[in-house]
Amino acid sequence: MNHTTNEENGAIIITFEGDVDLDSSPDCRKVLLESVAKNVPVLADLTGVTYIDSSGIASLVEALQSARKSGHEFALAGVSDAAMRVLSLARLDSVFAIHESREAGLKSLD
């Protein structure tokens, strides 16, 4: 898994690429929670995610819960087909705010 973090329009955008699995989920979790702790909206761009397992999903859920506790937004954007299948199976596709693209996600955070 690779990731990049950028700030845009007062929000943090984290772009993930590759596999988010048991090996990489601790890094994913750390990046997500550090970003959410900055108390600004966070958008996780999953366009380049080729595989995600339950540990990766757990990291996303933990970030969402943390953002909600602090009263800030956390959303997903450009969710790849592979990631969407797992979110749907776990019935989390209706829990997260999911946007078609990074641009759409940023507009929603305004």
Side-chain angles (χ1 to χ4, degrees):
M1 174 203 76
N2 294 314
H3 79 278
T4 57
T5 304
N6 299 306
E7 291 191 38
E8 196 173 325
N9 296 343
I12 296 174
I13 300 108
I14 309 164
T15 304
F16 293 100
E17 294 181 349
D19 294 352
V20 183
D21 56 17
L22 191 58
D23 290 332
S24 62
S25 64
D27 290 336
C28 174
R29 179 182 180 273
K30 180 181 179 194
V31 168
L32 288 166
L33 293 179
E34 285 176 354
S35 296
V36 168
K38 293 181 181 179
N39 293 321
V40 296
V42 175
L43 184 66
D45 184 344
L46 306 182
T47 306
V49 172
T50 53
Y51 173 81
I52 189 166
D53 67 9
S54 60
S55 63
I57 296 295
S59 297
L60 293 172
V61 169
E62 189 173 356
L64 175 65
Q65 291 172 334
S66 181
R68 284 184 175 170
K69 284 181 187 174
S70 65
H72 291 88
E73 294 181 74
F74 179 83
L76 307 178
V79 179
S80 67
D81 290 341
M84 187 57 85
R85 277 193 299 276
V86 177
L87 287 168
S88 296
L89 284 171
R91 297 185 182 180
L92 293 171
D93 53 331
S94 61
V95 173
F96 287 97
I98 299 175
H99 305 282
E100 279 189 41
S101 66
R102 173 189 198 128
E103 294 77 21
L106 279 172
K107 284 181 185 177
S108 78
L109 298 176
D110 287 339

